[in-house]
């Protein structure tokens, strides 16, 4: 998307010797929701009697009137305006929350469109621009929604409505439709974590009760993720959406539909490439493991996907990948393990020899995992030759003594597993290295020849050397 | 090109298997290197085997790391010669087609870029026979990636295909504009303008305008805002009498969109829109829209609009310009001066001075000057800096004296700002200010600031201050230098702080040329030579560096008699850096 709202780098921001979190005074920031276009005039609402004070027969109508009053939204950035009316709306909303929780028989057919309208008027809004251009969810305090005193009650009310025993999806589906869901999903980009938490519950309820919307919801989440991965790298609600998906995946019927497999391979795996992975990695890994528990045959594409997107420069992410991989290996079937062990251990061997000791350490911890150890033992004839050169070299030259100690243990374990192969590899270590070097030299020569040729031909085609 | 063909005997030296092994190397980095030299490999194979063996291999093995694919997509865009020239260029289509369907946006975009490039090398027949079918396949692909890629290819083939094919292409574009996935609709919306340019006018009206209107009212704001961009191109294509009916309803709707992103886009493109719709619509429609944008509830939008104030006013029709500015724009601008958001104020400050040339002397003094003065006192340094950096515009109209009373405190405050980047920014405007304020004012008010920066505790400031002195001397001349700054600079040579002593050397290096031979030889050189005895090695090697710098300004006799012995001595210094720089200076000055 357009980098709307980029202003030139300001001299104000760049004096950066301290970490952002230190620099920024812990001021409480809040933001209005881009919907108040200077209405100016004070708002007047005529106070209505309490629902409990009127006869039961009149309650239904009064309920509708109250809903209509609550459609009015107030400007909370202006902390002084309409104080009385804001308080009135707050108490009315509170009353409505209690009313839908305890009352019976209030949900007439006319109430449905009014409830949805009230909720829509209050929660649907264009989210305001982020306060800082480079909002970093790990470092910066989120901007809180100024109208939360009302907004929270509206969400609360809506959830009670959806959960109410009298709630009938067959009527509600006329009003809670695709358009409604689409707007709801856009709100997941809210910076306010409290709002996202409510949204999560709301969406979960809708997914549970409206079977007709399920495919649509999944598809739209797909689109949000794809946009997040390939276009903007910015969306605040990824973790919340993944959390919902975790339980959705849990409920998938077997055998898995092609649509679901595609979602795994084309959406969930690429989510690993995003810079802010740490913010939703736990939820993402949970989804992945859910898939594999459903259908072990997906193990190979998943691991190949992770290997394809393995972080090149970000050690922190590498540690996360290793953690996720261990979760996967915990549930892997031996038959699947065999299919993937070669590329997998080539990567692990690179991690083990990482100069970043946390990466090396995380990888070496695999050897403390009994199940993984048993898999390695069964396949030591394949894995040992892949790992040996790295381990041998690190045991001699890694800068970190803790890593060297861990590597000794691993080597010892291998020696006990398969001493014949181990001795063989130790014996041929030197000659193998020499062979590699020779090959390397041959490569270099090949390229040199090719370049000479290019030069010669280039000259010739320029007409300098006649053919 | 046939002379490059495989007829050459030495091709047999490189069996394709060896080369393909290189492209398959297990190490990504090596694979990447090989792909980047794909042209070398192709050259070694000759055009025929490149076509029959290399390209099929590349097409089949396209599952790789995105970085490798990116390099491949780029290479293939300039591969025409290597496959035997335009006649065979369509051989490149299969691998590029696969690349245009991968997930990673940068790879796909590069593939599209290469496809666009080689499309021009196709003959009309080949375009119709090979290229256009590819576009169609992409446009009807299952996964959204191929459809987004197709959007970028319509405009390159449309002008060169037959009538019936053209109609198919239009149909495909129409379909993609209402695609199910927002990603594809975004791609289509972003290519709308470019496609409109190659379409016949009748089809722009009958086909594209409805699509434009639909995209501009899409449910997703990310699609709508791209339609605003297209608005500019489309408006340019249409005759004036059609604009009102075909474009303006959509544009009006966009300026009042409920999403600030769309309004931001309108503000950002405002000058282009203004030019595209012409003076009449500007007066009737755009002026009120612009006022609204300047008063928008989102700071982002106001800032974008504020940035356009000068350009918008400049482009107003001459006969009504002044009235519109005075009655409609200036009142909004006045409010922005005290906006709550500093980005808005700073955007305004960067253009507001430009209004003075448009409004002339009297209006400037009466209406704009108070605003300049208010912004010069703004709490945000960026606002003040932006005003100061544009002083030249005002100077031409009313002369800077009108401002100097307020200017001085503003400059002094910025000069002492706690943030060194603010100080740096103001230093950079000093030569400009000096030119406009004149030598007398400068000596009286600003000279002491310039000297104070020389002893700033931040190196970047001292360095900028040195450079600033050089520019001042260039402006005011050597005799000014001799009387005002040289004594102060040389005085620092005996400062107890070695950093300040080094500053003297840096200044001498910078100033010698502008000051000329006499001052350099008589006043500067003795000081430099004396400093060669300094006990700090850093000072000594900077002496060597300074001598190297000022050497060309000196007379040869001084060089031989005074500089040479000192450098010779430094060349035997205990410190290896001092030695190194002394030797280097002697070589450069031909004293070795």
């Amino acid at each position: 998307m357009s980098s709307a709202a980029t202003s030139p780098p300001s001299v104000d921001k760049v004096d950066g010797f301290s970490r952002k979190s230190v620099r920024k005074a812990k001021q409480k920031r809040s933001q209005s929701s881009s919907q108040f276009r200077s209405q100016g005039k004070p708002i007047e609402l005529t106070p209505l009697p309490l629902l409990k004070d009127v006869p039961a027969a009149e309650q239904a109508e009064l309920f509708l009137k109250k809903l209509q009053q609550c459609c009015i939204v107030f400007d909370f950035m202006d902390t002084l305006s309409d104080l009385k009316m804001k308080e009135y709306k707050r108490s009315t909303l509170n009353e409505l929350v209690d009313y839908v929780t305890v009352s019976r028989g209030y949900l007439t057919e006319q109430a449905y469109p009014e409830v949805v309208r009230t909720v829509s008027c209050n929660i649907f809004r264009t989210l305001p621009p982020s306060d800082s251009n480079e909002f970093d969810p790990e470092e910066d305090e989120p901007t809180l929604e100024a109208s939360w005193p009302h907004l929270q009650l509206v969400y609360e009310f809506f959830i009670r409505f959806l959960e109410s025993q009298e709630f009938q999806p067959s009527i509600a589906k006329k009003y809670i439709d695709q358009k409604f869901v689409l707007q709801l999903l856009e709100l997941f980009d809210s910076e306010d974590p409290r709002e996202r938490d409510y949204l999560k519950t709301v969406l979960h309820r809708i997914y549970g009760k409206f079977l007709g919307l399920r495919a649509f919801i999944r598809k739209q989440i797909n689109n949000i993720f794809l946009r997040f991965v390939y276009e903007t790298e910015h969306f605040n609600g990824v973790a919340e959406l993944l959390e919902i998906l975790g339980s959705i995946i849990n409920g998938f019927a077997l055998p898995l539909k092609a649509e679901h497999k595609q979602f795994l391979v084309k959406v969930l795996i690429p989510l690993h490439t995003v810079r802010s992975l740490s913010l939703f990695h736990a939820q993402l890994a949970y989804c992945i493991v859910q898939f594999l528990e459903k259908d072990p045959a997906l193990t190979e594409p998943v691991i190949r996907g992770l290997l394809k997107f393995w972080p090149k420069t970000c050690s922190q992410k590498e540690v996360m990948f290793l953690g996720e991989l261990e979760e996967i290996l915990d549930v892997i079937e031996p038959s699947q393990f065999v299919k993937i062990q070669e590329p997998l251990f080539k990567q692990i061997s690179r991690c083990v020899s990482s100069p970043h000791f946390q990466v090396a350490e995380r990888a070496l911890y695999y050897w403390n995992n009994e199940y993984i150890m048993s898999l390695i033992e069964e396949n030591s004839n394949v894995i040992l030759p892949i790992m040996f050169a790295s381990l041998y070299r690190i045991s001699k030259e890694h800068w970190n003594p803790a890593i060297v100690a861990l590597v000794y243990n691993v080597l010892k374990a291998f020696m006990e597993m398969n001493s014949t192969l181990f001795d063989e590899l130790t014996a041929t270590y030197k000659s193998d290295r020499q062979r590699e070097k020779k090959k390397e030299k041959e490569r270099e020569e090949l390229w040199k020849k090719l370049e000479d040729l290019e030069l010669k031909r280039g000259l010739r085609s320029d007409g300098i050397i006649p053919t | 090109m046939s002379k490059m063909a495989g007829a050459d005997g030495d091709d047999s030296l490189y069996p394709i298997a060896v080369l393909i092994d290189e492209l398959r190397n297990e190490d990504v980095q090596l694979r990447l290197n090989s792909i980047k030299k794909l042209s070398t490999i192709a050259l070694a194979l000759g055009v025929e085997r490149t076509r029959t063996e290399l390209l099929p291999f590349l097409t089949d093995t396209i599952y790789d790391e995105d970085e490798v694919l990116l390099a491949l997509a780029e290479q293939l865009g300039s591969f025409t010669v290597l496959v035997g020239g335009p006649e065979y260029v369509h051989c490149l289509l299969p691998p590029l087609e696969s690349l245009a369907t991968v997930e990673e946006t940068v790879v796909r975009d590069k593939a599209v870029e290469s496809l666009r490039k080689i499309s021009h090398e196709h003959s009309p027949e080949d375009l119709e026979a090979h290229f256009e079918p590819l576009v169609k396949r992409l446009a009807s692909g299952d996964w959204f990636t191929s459809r987004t890629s197709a959007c970028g290819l319509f405009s390159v083939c449309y002008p060169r295909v037959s009538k019936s094919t053209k109609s198919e292409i239009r149909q495909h574009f129409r379909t993609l504009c209402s695609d199910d996935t927002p990603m594809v609709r975004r791609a289509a919306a972003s290519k709308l303008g470019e496609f409109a340019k190659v379409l016949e006018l009748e089809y722009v009206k009958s086909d594209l305008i409805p699509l434009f209107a639909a995209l501009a009212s899409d449910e997703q704001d990310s699609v709508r805002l791209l339609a605003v961009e297209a608005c500019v191109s489309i408006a340019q294509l249409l005759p004036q009498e059609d604009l009102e009916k075909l474009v303006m309803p959509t544009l009006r709707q966009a300026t009042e969109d409920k999403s600030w992103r769309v309004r931001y886009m309108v503000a950002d493109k405002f000058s282009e829109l203004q030019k595209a719709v012409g003076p009449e619509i500007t007066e009737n429609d755009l002026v009120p829209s612009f006022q609204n944008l300047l008063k928008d509830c989102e700071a982002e939008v106001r800032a974008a609009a504020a940035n356009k104030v000068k350009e918008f006013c400049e482009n107003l029709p001459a006969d009504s310009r002044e009235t519109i500015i005075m009655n409609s724009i200036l009142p909004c601008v006045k409010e922005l001066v005290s906006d709550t958001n500093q980005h808005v104020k700073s955007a305004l400050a960067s253009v507001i001075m430009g209004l003075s040339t448009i409004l002339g002397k009297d209006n400037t003094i009466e209406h704009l000057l108070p605003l300049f003065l208010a912004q010069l006192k703004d709490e945000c340094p960026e606002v003040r800096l932006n005003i100061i950096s544009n002083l030249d515009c005002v100077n031409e109209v009313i002369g800077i004296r009108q401002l100097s009373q307020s200017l001085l405190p503003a400059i002094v405050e910025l000069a002492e700002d706690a943030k060194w980047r603010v100080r740096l920014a103001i230093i950079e405007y000093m030569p400009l200010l000096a030119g406009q304020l004149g030598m007398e004012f400068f000596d009286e008010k600003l000279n002491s600031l310039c000297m104070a920066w020389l002893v700033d505790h931040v190196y970047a400031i001292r360095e900028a201050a040195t450079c600033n002195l050089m520019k001042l001397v260039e402006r005011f001349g050597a005799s000014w230098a001799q009387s005002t700054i040289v004594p102060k600079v040389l005085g620092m040579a005996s400062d107890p702080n070695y950093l300040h002593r080094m500053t003297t050397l840096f200044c001498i290096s910078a100033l010698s040329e502008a000051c000329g031979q006499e001052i350099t030889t008589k006043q500067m050189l003795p000081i430099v030579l004396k400093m060669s005895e300094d006990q700090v090695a850093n000072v000594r090697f900077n002496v060597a560096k300074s001598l190297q710098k000022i050497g060309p300004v000196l007379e040869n006799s001084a060089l031989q008699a005074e500089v040479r012995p000192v450098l010779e001595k430094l060349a035997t210094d205990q410190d290896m850096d001092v030695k190194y720089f002394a030797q280097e200076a002697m070589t450069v000055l031909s004293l070795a």
Side-chain angles (χ1 to χ4, degrees):
Chain A
M1 207 201 46
S2 88
S3 54
T6 36
S7 35
S10 74
V11 281
D12 218 31
K13 284 187 180 159
V14 279
D15 228 358
F17 293 108
S18 49
R19 279 169 75 81
K20 254 186 181 172
S21 49
V22 183
R23 242 177 325 160
K24 260 200 192 127
K26 282 255 161 123
Q27 78 222 44
K28 208 172 159 195
R29 290 181 302 136
S30 64
Q31 203 153 36
S32 81
S33 19
S34 200
Q35 59 183 335
F36 304 99
R37 312 202 57 186
S38 49
Q39 26 203 24
K41 280 189 216 125
I43 295 165
E44 273 307 321
L45 294 175
T46 324
L48 296 169
L50 293 179
L51 283 159
K52 67 175 166 53
D53 293 345
V54 301
E58 291 167 29
Q59 280 187 1
E61 208 194 321
L62 183 59
F63 177 62
L64 294 185
K65 276 191 185 158
K66 295 207 170 213
L67 284 173
Q68 276 158 11
Q69 282 195 331
C70 288
C71 286
I72 308 272
V73 284
F74 291 89
D75 181 358
F76 273 82
M77 287 311 275
D78 187 345
T79 46
L80 296 173
S81 70
D82 306 310
L83 283 178
K84 247 181 157 167
M85 288 299 121
K86 279 179 187 163
E87 174 54 28
Y88 171 69
K89 180 174 170 182
R90 200 190 61 78
S91 63
T92 307
L93 283 169
N94 262 324
E95 191 193 3
L96 291 177
V97 170
D98 291 342
Y99 186 71
V100 292
T101 319
V102 299
S103 301
R104 293 286 169 268
Y106 72 96
L107 257 185
T108 60
E109 206 152 316
Q110 297 101 296
Y112 284 87
E114 288 304 320
V115 169
V116 175
R117 192 168 80 92
T118 309
V119 171
S120 306
C121 287
N122 280 280
I123 68 172
F124 293 154
R125 62 208 194 277
T126 306
L127 294 170
S130 186
D131 213 28
S132 56
N133 296 331
E134 69 277 28
F135 175 69
D136 174 356
E138 280 189 305
E139 287 264 349
D140 296 333
E141 292 273 311
T143 306
L144 298 179
E145 174 57 48
S147 63
W148 191 243
H150 286 173
L151 208 53
Q152 177 181 21
L153 293 170
V154 174
Y155 277 117
E156 195 68 52
F157 167 72
F158 191 41
I159 289 169
R160 305 280 175 100
F161 166 75
L162 291 169
E163 289 174 348
S164 149
Q165 285 182 343
E166 296 184 11
F167 179 77
Q168 289 181 313
S170 56
I171 304 175
K173 75 179 181 194
K174 273 184 265 175
Y175 312 105
I176 298 180
D177 53 6
Q178 296 194 346
K179 191 161 185 266
F180 184 92
V181 168
L182 204 58
Q183 288 173 283
L184 196 69
L185 283 168
E186 274 175 24
L187 291 176
F188 275 84
D189 193 22
S190 168
E191 261 184 48
D192 194 330
R194 303 169 301 181
E195 177 165 23
R196 295 201 304 270
D197 207 47
Y198 271 105
L199 284 165
K200 195 171 68 187
T201 315
V202 170
L203 187 66
H204 213 150
R205 295 292 168 272
I206 292 179
Y207 191 88
K209 290 183 194 276
F210 297 84
L211 304 186
L213 286 172
R214 288 186 175 180
F216 180 78
I217 292 176
R218 289 197 306 267
K219 198 166 85 186
Q220 296 309 323
I221 294 182
N222 252 349
N223 287 343
I224 289 178
F225 284 170
L226 287 169
R227 178 170 180 219
F228 173 63
V229 174
Y230 293 116
E231 294 183 18
T232 61
E233 285 221 343
H234 178 90
F235 193 85
N236 291 312
V238 176
E240 284 81 2
L241 289 176
L242 283 170
E243 221 170 292
I244 298 171
L245 281 168
S247 57
I248 292 179
I249 296 165
N250 211 331
F252 281 162
L254 287 173
L256 289 175
K257 286 192 212 160
E259 174 213 327
H260 301 325
K261 292 186 190 169
Q262 190 183 48
F263 172 67
L264 170 68
V265 176
K266 298 222 171 194
V267 183
L268 288 185
I269 299 288
L271 268 178
H272 287 86
T273 60
V274 175
R275 205 177 30 189
S276 54
L277 176 67
S278 63
L279 295 171
F280 54 84
H281 181 251
Q283 291 84 347
L284 179 58
Y286 178 79
C287 287
I288 302 271
V289 174
Q290 287 294 307
F291 261 113
L292 300 185
E293 295 208 61
K294 286 261 164 194
D295 184 357
L298 292 168
T299 313
E300 187 181 343
V302 164
I303 293 185
R304 283 197 189 275
L306 288 178
L307 294 177
K308 179 179 171 189
F309 293 130
W310 201 270
K312 304 274 187 304
T313 53
C314 182
S315 314
Q316 260 174 316
K317 267 173 87 174
E318 240 183 315
V319 173
M320 284 185 249
F321 270 56
L322 285 165
E324 181 172 347
L325 209 48
E326 183 164 1
E327 282 180 55
I328 293 172
L329 290 175
D330 271 333
V331 299
I332 200 169
E333 289 184 1
S335 59
Q336 297 295 326
F337 181 82
V338 178
K339 283 188 199 163
I340 199 71
Q341 57 183 350
E342 279 186 58
L344 176 62
F345 277 85
K346 277 177 189 160
Q347 181 57 55
I348 293 175
S349 137
R350 276 194 288 273
C351 292
V352 162
S353 42
S354 167
H356 196 300
F357 81 97
Q358 284 173 333
V359 174
E361 186 182 63
R362 188 66 193 81
L364 288 164
Y365 281 164
Y366 282 14
W367 273 262
N368 295 342
N369 182 315
E370 272 179 38
Y371 182 59
I372 297 179
M373 265 307 259
S374 71
L375 292 168
I376 294 177
E377 187 158 8
E378 269 167 54
N379 301 285
S380 63
N381 55 334
V382 180
I383 295 172
L384 183 50
I386 298 174
M387 295 294 301
F388 185 79
S390 298
L391 293 172
Y392 190 85
R393 194 163 36 79
I394 308 158
S395 69
K396 303 257 181 269
E397 55 190 46
H398 201 283
W399 63 273
N400 184 305
I403 297 297
V404 175
L406 281 170
V407 165
Y408 270 120
N409 286 339
V410 171
L411 280 171
K412 208 172 121 220
F414 271 129
M415 199 153 48
E416 285 161 7
M417 258 177 226
N418 195 337
S419 59
T420 339
L421 182 56
F422 192 91
D423 292 342
E424 222 171 88
L425 289 168
T426 320
T428 55
Y429 179 81
K430 266 207 181 120
S431 57
D432 283 348
R433 296 293 80 72
Q434 267 160 3
R435 199 156 359 108
E436 271 171 29
K437 265 190 196 144
K438 198 174 150 229
K439 228 175 137 190
E440 179 60 26
K441 222 171 159 190
E442 281 170 5
R443 284 194 62 250
E444 261 171 44
E445 272 164 25
L446 169 71
W447 278 106
K448 215 170 154 268
K449 273 193 214 156
L450 285 175
E451 269 152 32
D452 287 348
L453 180 76
E454 186 178 20
L455 209 62
K456 216 166 75 195
R457 297 226 175 145
L459 292 175
R460 206 181 295 162
S461 66
D462 289 343
I464 298 169
I465 305 174
T467 28
Chain B
M1 290 300 133
S2 62
K3 61 188 163 190
M4 293 172 69
D8 293 359
D10 50 0
D11 281 342
S12 54
L13 279 174
Y14 308 102
I16 182 144
V18 176
L19 299 173
I20 282 181
D21 263 358
E22 284 299 293
L23 295 171
R24 267 193 194 135
N25 199 304
E26 220 171 80
D27 184 332
V28 192
Q29 193 53 50
L30 293 178
R31 221 154 59 222
L32 187 61
N33 292 346
S34 308
I35 282 281
K36 283 188 174 159
K37 292 188 211 146
L38 197 61
S39 59
T40 312
I41 293 182
L43 205 56
L45 288 172
V47 293
E48 204 177 316
R49 298 183 67 193
T50 299
R51 287 198 301 268
T52 55
E53 295 175 54
L54 182 63
L55 287 176
F57 163 77
L58 292 171
T59 314
D60 290 343
T61 54
I62 231 126
Y63 182 86
D64 201 332
E65 304 243 354
D66 291 327
E67 200 155 350
V68 177
L69 298 184
L70 176 67
L72 178 59
E74 184 168 11
Q75 291 276 313
L76 291 177
S78 40
F79 236 58
T80 311
V81 172
L82 296 160
V83 293
E87 189 182 345
Y88 296 101
V89 63
H90 59 85
C91 299
L92 298 172
L93 297 179
L96 282 171
E97 181 174 352
S98 309
L99 289 167
T101 63
V102 304
E103 262 79 24
E104 179 50 56
T105 326
V106 284
V107 176
R108 220 163 56 222
D109 287 351
K110 191 51 91 180
V112 170
E113 196 186 313
S114 290
L115 279 168
R116 287 169 72 112
K117 204 166 150 196
I118 65 168
S119 74
H120 303 296
E121 290 162 337
H122 282 71
S123 66
E125 295 73 37
D126 281 348
L127 200 71
E128 194 112 17
H130 301 285
F131 197 89
E132 201 272 339
L134 169 149
V135 177
K136 268 195 251 172
R137 280 195 300 277
L138 289 175
S140 40
D142 281 340
W143 189 238
F144 78 96
T145 53
S146 73
R147 302 201 299 278
T148 49
S149 292
C151 292
L153 297 173
F154 293 127
S155 67
V156 288
C157 53
Y158 189 83
R160 297 175 61 211
V161 291
S162 69
K163 222 171 162 191
S164 61
T165 313
K166 280 186 174 179
S167 129
E168 284 176 47
I169 292 181
R170 288 196 304 274
Q171 179 54 42
H172 278 296
F173 190 76
R174 209 173 305 144
T175 314
L176 295 185
C177 282
S178 52
D179 197 277
D180 209 23
T181 65
M183 289 77 84
V184 177
R185 294 202 303 279
R186 277 194 287 277
S190 68
K191 301 295 177 192
L192 193 62
E194 150 189 318
F195 191 49
K197 283 184 192 156
V198 298
L199 229 56
E200 298 81 356
L201 187 59
E202 51 170 316
Y203 292 122
V204 173
K205 289 189 202 171
S206 65
D207 281 36
L208 277 203
I209 293 293
L211 297 175
F212 165 60
L215 290 169
S217 11
D218 196 276
E219 61 200 4
Q220 305 236 334
D221 61 0
S222 54
V223 179
R224 296 202 298 277
L225 67 88
L226 292 167
V228 173
E229 275 191 293
C231 193
V232 177
S233 322
I234 291 177
Q236 281 167 344
L237 295 169
L238 294 173
Q240 188 70 31
E241 63 269 20
D242 288 330
L243 287 175
E244 177 54 44
K245 202 172 99 227
L246 300 180
V247 176
M248 287 316 290
T250 308
L251 180 57
R252 275 186 212 115
Q253 177 193 318
T255 52
E256 286 168 9
D257 198 284
K258 66 181 198 303
S259 164
W260 63 270
R261 290 187 188 86
V262 178
R263 301 197 304 276
Y264 171 89
M265 195 55 140
V266 176
D268 196 47
K269 298 276 164 220
F270 216 79
S271 305
E272 287 96 322
L273 288 167
Q274 180 188 12
K275 282 181 201 149
V277 300
E280 201 178 316
I281 295 181
T282 297
E283 249 187 278
N284 299 332
D285 262 277
L286 294 197
V287 171
S289 303
F290 194 58
Q291 286 176 302
N292 285 336
L293 292 170
L294 288 172
K295 289 186 220 153
D296 198 277
C297 61
E298 275 319 331
E300 257 74 7
V301 180
R302 291 199 301 280
N307 257 320
K308 302 289 167 186
V309 163
K310 182 192 154 207
E311 236 178 303
F312 181 75
C313 294
E314 246 169 13
N315 294 327
L316 287 168
D319 50 343
S320 52
R321 185 189 294 150
E322 192 174 323
T323 333
I324 296 178
I325 297 177
M326 296 305 293
N327 295 337
S328 311
I329 307 297
L330 206 56
C332 302
V333 168
K334 277 182 185 158
E335 278 179 43
L336 290 184
V337 167
S338 47
D339 200 278
T340 48
N341 183 290
Q342 67 168 44
H343 297 297
V344 176
K345 287 186 291 188
S346 130
L348 181 69
S350 66
V351 298
I352 191 174
M353 311 287 271
L355 290 180
S356 49
T357 35
I358 305 173
L359 286 177
K361 187 170 176 184
D362 294 340
N363 279 327
T364 300
I365 293 177
E366 191 182 340
H367 299 284
L368 294 177
L369 195 58
L371 305 181
F372 301 158
L373 295 176
Q375 291 216 298
L376 266 180
K377 294 193 188 96
D378 199 277
E379 56 183 6
C380 163
E382 210 174 325
V383 176
R384 283 173 268 149
L385 271 176
N386 282 348
I387 289 289
I388 291 173
S389 62
N390 286 297
L391 279 176
D392 45 341
C393 317
V394 190
N395 200 13
E396 288 160 21
V397 183
I398 58 168
I400 211 161
R401 291 282 158 180
Q402 299 270 6
L403 274 174
S404 52
Q405 282 305 315
S406 307
L407 204 49
L408 197 63
I411 294 172
V412 172
E413 207 178 311
L414 289 169
E416 288 161 359
D417 198 282
K419 296 195 178 74
W420 68 266
R421 281 181 205 264
V422 174
R423 301 199 296 278
L424 184 65
I426 188 73
I427 293 178
E428 276 159 12
Y429 296 121
M430 274 312 189
L432 182 81
L433 286 170
Q436 278 159 13
L437 294 167
M439 197 194 288
E440 194 184 325
F441 186 89
F442 186 88
D443 280 345
E444 194 181 317
K445 315 277 188 191
L446 299 179
N447 192 23
S448 54
L449 284 180
C450 292
M451 301 315 290
W453 283 319
L454 287 175
V455 293
D456 199 282
H457 62 274
V458 174
Y459 175 74
I461 299 297
R462 298 196 299 274
E463 191 189 25
T466 309
C467 180
N468 173 45
L469 286 187
M470 180 179 77
K471 289 188 186 146
L472 290 174
V473 174
E474 279 166 7
R475 189 175 285 275
F476 291 150
S479 61
W480 175 80
Q482 188 168 20
S483 61
T484 21
I485 59 173
V486 171
K488 289 185 192 166
V489 165
L490 297 183
M492 282 161 59
S494 47
D495 196 286
N497 185 334
Y498 86 99
L499 291 172
H500 297 174
R501 299 201 295 278
M502 293 217 300
T503 305
T504 299
L505 290 170
F506 297 145
C507 286
I508 288 174
S509 301
L511 295 176
S512 63
E513 206 184 317
C515 286
Q517 200 181 61
E518 170 142 1
I519 299 177
T520 307
T521 315
K522 293 215 170 117
Q523 301 189 15
M524 296 177 172
L525 183 61
I527 301 285
V528 180
L529 296 174
K530 204 174 124 205
M531 289 171 85
S532 67
E533 315 268 313
D534 202 288
Q535 43 179 318
V536 177
N538 289 34
V539 176
R540 292 200 302 279
F541 78 64
N542 274 299
V543 166
K545 280 169 136 185
S546 293
L547 287 173
Q548 178 184 330
K549 201 81 201 278
I550 67 172
V553 185
L554 300 171
E555 251 182 78
N556 194 37
S557 57
L559 218 49
Q560 297 297 342
E562 301 181 61
V563 175
R564 177 197 283 274
V566 170
L567 282 178
E568 275 169 355
K569 188 168 167 234
L570 289 175
T572 59
D573 200 281
Q574 305 170 324
D575 186 280
M576 60 186 264
D577 291 323
V578 178
K579 259 194 237 175
Y580 171 84
F581 285 109
Q583 275 155 3
E584 190 185 66
M586 287 171 73
T587 315
V588 171
L589 297 173
S590 320
L591 295 173

